[in-house]
């Protein structure tokens, strides 16, 4: 009987081998799987003289996964897991390690305990995936990260998370070899860190009278007081916990913007004197710190205490989204601009940041700031966190500054990762797993020398719409896995499908541990393609696509509906609905896509100005692909133009009769997105002489609520030009005042 059981195990072990190689996340740099297995039983002991903490960590986690309680011993036994800390071992970097699984012995070698720790994390994944057999394949792994900075952020201001929850979050990061935790501790809606010299920061600043619920534009509130903060003891406890996981905690104290919670407590630090309340709406507030001596004095006191709590060499001082509205009309600010010989408010921002940087540098620490610290000139030693795109990072690297890449386009985990109809309410966007996985932290514009300034990637978890920790888990997983592999430097976007299958194995581990995650990976995804004027709709899923059923008449799909076999040609206006079925039962939510086929669909289109990089997927053809963008879900099927007009010319190929132009636009003032101020339609027979036909005024646009229809007597022409004029500079009193407005448009449907 024993013999049979043994055979049974070895049979599975063989199957397990290929899995073991496949399912590690991040994939190691080098892996060599040998034949045979090590059977992990209770006779193993853990030997790790130089790594007592890591040995305990390993012991605890092996017990959690397998139930085995392995002793920690000081001498090698016949069967042992050896943590071999060897400072002389210089073959790999400080975070690198070698993991050898031999017949009766597992050895992890590294020259620092950080490397030992990552070797342990890899080993734990191997044990986890062979949990049922406890047969670990014999192998050799040599591994080290590509990027020294592998970051994950958490905003605890918009919603607050307990230290227990933050520690769980840190556990997740460590499991995926993330080594920096950016803790966003202050913002308009709450100040979350005890500062003993200024108790009102938390007494007043940590509590708001209510919170916004639902989508931003709905402006609905829950009427419930909300708040919380960490005492300094709690902060120290979290920092120590992170240290044991080899994670550096980087605190962020926002200035000069996102400061309304402070101003509620100390209104004298504003330009107007207040009064203020802790923010209850999301977005960007006009009231920011006034660059007075009292303001710097308070911020310096804050920094003094922050420095004692966080061993990190970095302090993040924000710098983002600071409207200059108040500074423009503030006599003190204008006086200061003159006195310091500055040209404008942007240079005043630079003065603010540089002054704080000097103070922080004198304390032996360095600053990190968001993109906007580039405004008016970059502080001398600053590291730039590039978020609005990758340009900030490129600029920093080219001027000899370090940069961390965290663009909204790929690494905002507060954006949707799946169909908004089935995902929890999110900020917006469309940041699916494959998008995250495709991110390359090194922009192609940089030389090898400049690229050394790119410290690595970071993903951000802003929590305006994330109200509880289960939802944090949902937004984090599985995208953290993609970040992990991008940051480790072993991602292969062309092999996305292989990565996806490893992810699916890891989701089973999350299931076992009761950790929530998004199921978007199993969704049916529709892709609109336009090739040589032919529009097709492609359906895919992480499951087997042949189990997708669809309808073309708007009815609900059933298991008897059309099976999906190949891309669907779209030649007329119709609504397609598709669902994934298994054994006759619907497994996925149904996706719905309506097509509006018009005389312009699939025709040649040319844009004078190009859309902003984050809102340009599909390029100009997005405007003639037969699909109107969803207004709630504006990450997809929309083109976004920052401060620019839309000037689109469509060539019908031959003279064509038409009398209507339909397009849509968006108004989301909180996100700096505004309706255009005018729409103009012109026509041409030859493509060079254009004749104005008709337009819409600003009043008509506002009236139409963004469904813009221009009608006129029947025209006959080969070319049509549609100009949609950007509002221009955002007016005072609105989010983003003084900056260029975003103009979002979709579809130019001509009939
Ligand atoms: C922009 S990213 C912000 C945050 C918001 C976030 C929402 C950055 C530096 N500022 O205040 O929470 O967008 O995605």
């Amino acid at each position: 009987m024993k013999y049979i059981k043994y055979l049974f195990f070895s049979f599975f072990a063989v199957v397990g081998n290929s899995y073991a190689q496949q399912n590690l996340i991040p994939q190691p740099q080098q892996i060599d799987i040998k034949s045979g297995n090590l059977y992990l039983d209770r006779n193993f002991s853990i030997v790790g003289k130089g790594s007592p903490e890591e040995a305990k960590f390993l012991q605890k986690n092996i017990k959690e996964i397998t139930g085995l309680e392995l002793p920690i011993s000081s001498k090698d036994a016949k069967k042992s897991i050896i943590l071999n800390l060897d400072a002389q071992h210089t073959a790999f970097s400080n975070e690198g390690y070698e993991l050898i699984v031999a017949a009766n012995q597992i050895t992890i070698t590294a020259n620092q305990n950080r490397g030992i720790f990552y070797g342990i994390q890899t080993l734990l994944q191997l044990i986890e995936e062979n949990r049922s057999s406890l047969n670990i394949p014999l192998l050799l792994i040599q591994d080290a990260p590509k990027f020294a900075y592998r970051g994950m952020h958490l905003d605890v201001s918009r919603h607050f998370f307990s230290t227990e929850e933050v520690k769980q979050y840190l556990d997740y990061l460590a499991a995926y070899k993330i080594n920096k935790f950016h803790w966003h501790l202050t913002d308009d809606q709450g100040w979350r860190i005890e500062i003993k010299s200024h108790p009102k920061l938390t007494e007043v600043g940590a509590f708001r009278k209510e919170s916004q619920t639902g989508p931003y534009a709905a402006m609905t509130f829950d009427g419930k007081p909300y708040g919380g903060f960490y005492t300094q003891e709690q902060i120290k406890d979290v920092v120590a916990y992170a240290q044991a996981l080899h994670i550096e905690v980087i605190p962020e104290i926002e200035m000069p913007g996102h400061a309304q919670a402070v101003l509620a407590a100390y209104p004298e630090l504003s330009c107007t004197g207040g009064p203020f309340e802790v923010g209850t709406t999301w977005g960007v507030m006009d009231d920011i710190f006034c660059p007075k001596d009292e303001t710097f004095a308070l911020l310096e006191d804050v920094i003094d205490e922050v420095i004692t709590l966080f061993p990190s060499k970095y302090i993040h001082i924000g710098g983002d989204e600071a409207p200059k509205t108040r500074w423009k009309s503030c006599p003190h600010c204008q006086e200061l601009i003159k006195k310091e010989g500055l040209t404008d408010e942007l240079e005043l921002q630079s003065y603010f940041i540089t002054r704080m940087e000097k103070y922080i540098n004198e304390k032996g620490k360095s600053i990190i700031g968001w993109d906007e610290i580039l405004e008016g000139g970059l502080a001398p030693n600053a590291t730039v966190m590039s978020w609005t795109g990758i340009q900030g990072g490129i600029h920093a690297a080219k001027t000899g500054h370090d940069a961390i890449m965290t663009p909204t386009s790929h690494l905002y985990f507060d954006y949707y990762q799946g169909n908004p109809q089935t995902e929890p309410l999110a900020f917006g966007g469309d940041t699916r797993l494959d998008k995250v996985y495709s991110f390359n932290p090194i922009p192609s514009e940089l030389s090898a020398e400049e690229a050394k300034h790119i410290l690595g990637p970071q993903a951000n978890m802003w929590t305006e719409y994330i109200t509880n920790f289960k939802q944090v888990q949902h937004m984090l997983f599985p995208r953290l896995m993609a970040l992990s592999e991008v940051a480790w430097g072993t991602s292969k976007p062309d092999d996305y499908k292989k990565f996806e299958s490893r992810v699916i194995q890891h989701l089973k581990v999350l299931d076992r541990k009761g950790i929530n995650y998004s199921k978007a990976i199993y969704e049916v995804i529709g892709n609109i393609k336009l090739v040589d004027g032919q529009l097709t709709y492609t359906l895919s899923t992480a499951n087997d696509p042949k189990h997708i059923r669809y309808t073309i008449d708007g009815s609900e799909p059933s298991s008897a509906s059309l099976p999906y076999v190949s891309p669907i040609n779209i030649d007329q206006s119709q609504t397609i609905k598709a669902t994934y079925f298994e054994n006759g039962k619907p497994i996925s939510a149904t996706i719905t896509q309506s097509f509006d086929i018009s005389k312009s669909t699939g025709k040649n289109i040319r844009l004078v100005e190009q859309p902003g990089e984050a809102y340009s997927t599909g390029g100009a053809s997005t405007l003639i692909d037969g699909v109107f963008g969803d207004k709630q879900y504006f990450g997809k099927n929309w083109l976004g133009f920052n401060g620019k007009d839309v000037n689109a010319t469509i060539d019908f190929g031959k003279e064509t009769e038409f009398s209507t132009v339909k397009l849509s636009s968006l108004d989301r003032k909180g996100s700096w997105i505004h309706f255009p101020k005018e729409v103009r339609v012109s026509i041409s027979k030859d493509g060079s002489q254009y004749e104005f036909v008709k337009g819409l005024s600003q009043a008509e646009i506002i009236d139409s609520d963004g469904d813009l229809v221009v009608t006129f007597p029947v025209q006959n022409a080969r070319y049509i030009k549609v100009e949609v004029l950007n509002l221009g500079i955002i007016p005072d009193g609105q989010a983003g005042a003084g900056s260029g407005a975003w103009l979002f448009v979709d579809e130019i449907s001509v009939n």
Side-chain angles (χ1 to χ4, degrees):
M1 180 62 198
K2 211 172 175 188
Y3 182 61
I4 290 175
K5 196 167 159 199
Y6 177 74
L7 266 184
F8 183 75
F9 273 138
S10 14
F11 169 74
F12 270 90
V14 173
V15 178
N17 273 357
S18 58
Y19 268 155
Q21 180 180 15
Q22 295 291 316
N23 294 334
L24 293 170
I25 298 178
Q27 276 284 285
Q29 304 286 355
Q30 293 278 344
I31 177 164
D32 181 9
I33 308 248
K34 322 230 184 241
S35 64
N37 299 286
L38 169 149
Y39 176 56
L40 186 67
D41 61 19
R42 69 156 84 113
N43 298 320
F44 274 82
S45 51
I46 299 171
V47 185
K49 287 184 283 283
S51 315
E53 293 308 316
E54 287 67 26
K56 274 189 239 152
F57 179 85
L58 179 61
Q59 182 187 45
K60 181 175 124 216
N61 282 281
I62 289 183
K63 180 163 182 225
E64 191 275 328
I65 299 169
T66 65
L68 292 174
E69 282 188 66
L70 305 186
I72 295 178
S73 138
S74 54
K75 50 182 186 306
D76 292 12
K78 198 166 146 245
K79 290 184 164 188
S80 46
I81 304 178
I82 300 169
L83 307 181
N84 177 29
L85 179 67
D86 175 4
Q88 304 314 315
H89 213 294
T90 50
F92 23 71
S93 72
N94 295 339
E95 293 186 298
Y97 67 92
E98 181 182 77
L99 166 63
I100 299 174
V101 180
N104 280 313
Q105 186 166 295
I106 297 174
T107 316
I108 296 172
T109 304
N111 58 32
Q112 290 200 5
N113 270 325
R114 295 191 271 169
I116 297 283
F117 185 74
Y118 295 130
I120 289 175
Q121 291 292 5
T122 302
L123 175 62
L124 290 173
Q125 286 192 13
L126 291 169
I127 297 175
E128 176 79 53
E129 65 183 277
N130 296 290
R131 196 172 157 257
S132 52
S133 70
L134 291 186
N135 277 303
I136 316 297
L138 305 188
L139 52 73
L140 165 67
I141 288 176
Q142 284 173 322
D143 202 10
K146 175 170 179 187
F147 293 104
Y149 190 109
R150 304 183 299 281
M152 189 67 224
H153 149 289
L154 181 66
D155 166 12
V156 295
S157 172
R158 276 56 176 271
H159 284 99
F160 182 67
F161 302 95
S162 70
T163 53
E164 280 319 302
E165 289 166 336
V166 172
K167 286 180 184 176
Q168 283 178 49
Y169 195 75
L170 291 168
D171 289 340
Y172 310 151
L173 307 199
Y176 288 99
K177 302 188 172 79
I178 298 298
N179 66 351
K180 310 282 171 189
F181 172 53
H182 171 173
W183 206 358
H184 185 79
L185 289 163
T186 73
D187 214 304
D188 298 303
Q189 297 80 7
W191 179 279
R192 307 271 176 238
I193 171 173
E194 177 192 24
I195 299 294
K196 298 201 188 230
S197 58
H198 298 276
K200 276 203 290 178
L201 283 171
T202 44
E203 280 164 19
V204 176
F207 300 91
R208 59 180 181 248
K209 74 167 193 261
E210 60 184 354
S211 307
Q212 216 185 320
T213 58
Y216 181 81
M219 281 293 148
T220 47
F221 297 87
D222 62 5
K224 289 190 214 135
Y226 185 91
F229 66 92
Y230 308 107
T231 64
Q232 295 201 351
E233 283 313 304
Q234 287 176 317
I235 299 259
K236 281 188 210 153
D237 178 43
V238 169
V239 169
Y241 189 87
Q243 254 170 347
L245 300 173
H246 298 278
I247 294 175
E248 176 180 334
V249 184
I250 299 170
E252 181 180 353
I253 307 293
E254 275 267 23
M255 61 190 80
H258 288 291
Q260 198 166 305
V262 184
L263 301 184
Y266 301 100
E268 61 277 17
L269 305 184
S270 71
C271 292
T272 65
F276 306 100
E277 53 178 30
V278 178
T280 57
T281 61
W282 319 129
V284 178
M285 319 278 175
D286 277 334
D287 288 291
I288 66 173
F289 283 121
C290 190
K292 303 176 193 176
D293 287 343
E294 304 94 285
T295 302
F296 290 108
L298 175 127
L299 290 173
E300 288 170 8
D301 289 345
V302 169
I303 296 296
D304 287 347
E305 293 189 34
V306 165
I307 279 170
T308 64
L309 300 171
F310 297 90
S312 170
K313 88 166 203 204
Y314 292 115
I315 297 194
H316 197 309
I317 57 160
D320 61 310
E321 299 182 321
K324 306 299 178 295
T325 322
R326 295 292 179 257
W327 290 2
K328 279 188 187 145
S329 54
C330 158
H332 166 76
C333 296
Q334 294 307 317
E335 197 46 45
L336 188 59
I337 288 177
K338 269 203 216 111
K339 190 175 133 219
E340 295 292 329
L342 308 172
T343 47
D344 57 9
E345 292 75 22
L346 294 181
E347 288 199 0
L348 187 53
Q349 155 110 356
S350 170
Y351 165 86
F352 196 115
I353 300 290
T354 305
R355 183 161 161 179
M356 287 309 298
E357 174 179 66
K358 188 157 172 281
Y359 187 78
I360 292 167
N361 285 170
E362 278 164 13
K363 305 264 159 178
K365 304 268 179 176
S366 307
I367 66 160
I368 302 178
W370 300 106
D371 277 359
E372 291 94 327
I373 63 166
L374 290 161
E375 285 177 0
L378 189 51
N381 309 310
T383 296
V384 172
M385 196 167 260
S386 192
W387 74 278
T388 55
I390 57 170
Q391 287 309 323
I394 294 173
H395 182 91
K398 284 195 181 286
T399 54
H401 288 262
D402 286 345
I404 296 153
M405 301 308 254
T406 174
T408 49
S409 55
H410 294 76
L411 297 180
Y412 266 45
F413 287 5
D414 58 329
Y415 288 10
Y416 284 107
Q417 59 189 311
N419 184 348
Q421 290 155 8
T422 47
E423 284 287 307
L425 177 69
F427 187 86
D430 182 28
T431 310
R432 287 175 183 270
L433 186 66
D434 56 338
K435 187 86 186 269
V436 178
Y437 194 64
S438 72
F439 184 61
N440 179 357
I442 308 278
S444 54
E445 288 89 334
L446 298 183
S447 69
E449 208 42 46
E450 290 161 349
K452 290 186 186 150
H453 284 293
I454 304 294
L455 304 181
Q458 172 178 299
N460 293 339
M461 186 73 80
W462 299 102
T463 58
E464 288 95 330
Y465 302 94
I466 304 179
T467 58
N468 59 65
F469 193 64
K470 278 262 159 233
Q471 207 184 336
V472 170
Q473 295 175 335
H474 180 105
M475 300 308 273
L476 188 65
F477 289 116
R479 288 184 288 194
L480 175 65
M481 300 175 196
L483 172 71
S484 159
E485 205 153 293
V486 165
W488 199 257
T490 49
S491 57
K492 292 198 185 75
D494 291 344
D495 273 349
Y496 173 72
K497 279 282 162 195
K498 283 193 190 151
F499 170 69
E500 188 181 69
S501 73
R502 280 185 280 132
V503 166
I504 288 171
Q505 297 309 312
H506 280 236
L507 295 181
K508 294 180 185 161
V509 181
L510 299 183
D511 281 333
R512 182 179 80 70
K513 295 188 171 172
I515 298 170
N516 199 22
Y517 58 88
S518 166
K519 315 265 182 312
I521 193 172
Y522 298 116
E523 268 174 14
V524 177
I525 297 174
N527 256 311
I528 299 154
K529 273 206 194 92
L530 194 54
V531 178
D532 299 332
Q534 176 64 55
L535 192 62
T536 58
Y537 191 49
T538 309
L539 299 172
S540 63
T541 160
N543 289 313
D544 185 350
K546 72 172 182 289
H547 297 309
I548 298 174
R549 302 279 166 159
Y550 71 99
T551 62
I552 57 171
D553 59 1
S555 63
E556 281 311 306
S558 72
S559 57
S561 303
L562 295 167
Y564 178 76
V565 278
S566 58
I568 307 162
N569 282 345
I570 309 292
D571 298 312
Q572 59 188 35
S573 294
Q574 57 189 285
T575 295
I576 295 192
K577 289 190 177 221
T579 315
Y580 177 81
F581 284 85
E582 257 171 31
N583 304 322
K585 289 205 182 68
I587 300 291
S588 75
T590 297
I591 58 163
T592 303
Q593 182 66 64
S594 296
F595 292 90
D596 170 285
I597 303 302
S598 76
K599 291 184 175 165
S600 56
T601 313
K603 294 296 181 305
N604 271 325
I605 181 162
R606 211 167 38 82
L607 281 173
V608 176
E609 296 280 8
Q610 298 312 308
E613 71 184 90
Y615 301 103
S616 59
T617 330
S621 70
T622 306
L623 298 177
I624 40 100
D625 64 1
V627 171
F628 276 90
D630 187 324
K631 288 200 172 151
Q632 154 102 27
Y633 179 34
F634 54 88
K636 213 178 166 184
N637 291 320
W638 288 93
L639 294 186
F641 297 78
N642 192 2
K644 296 182 203 161
D645 299 334
V646 175
N647 182 325
T649 312
I650 297 169
D651 175 0
F652 295 108
K654 58 174 193 292
E655 289 206 355
T656 301
E657 285 191 348
F658 50 84
S659 61
T660 0
V661 175
K662 248 185 354 172
L663 63 150
S664 45
S665 185
L666 276 181
D667 181 56
R668 295 282 183 282
K669 295 196 178 71
S671 304
W672 306 21
I673 303 171
H674 291 257
F675 278 152
K677 62 177 183 220
E678 195 184 338
V679 177
R680 299 171 57 84
V681 175
S682 318
I683 58 166
S684 169
K685 298 218 185 250
D686 59 5
S688 65
Q689 293 295 99
Y690 280 86
E691 180 192 331
F692 174 73
V693 182
K694 194 146 182 235
L696 292 176
S697 69
Q698 190 161 24
E700 287 168 317
I701 292 168
I702 294 170
D703 250 14
S704 71
D705 202 24
D707 297 322
L708 312 176
V709 185
V710 191
T711 42
F712 36 81
V714 177
Q715 305 290 322
N716 191 9
R718 174 169 166 180
Y719 301 90
I720 182 166
K721 178 154 80 186
V722 180
E723 293 163 282
V724 190
L725 306 189
N726 192 303
L727 177 77
I729 300 295
I730 300 174
D732 282 358
Q734 295 185 1
S739 301
W742 279 91
L743 169 61
F744 270 60
V745 290
D746 187 36
E747 211 52 20
I748 304 183
S749 162
V750 181
N751 269 312

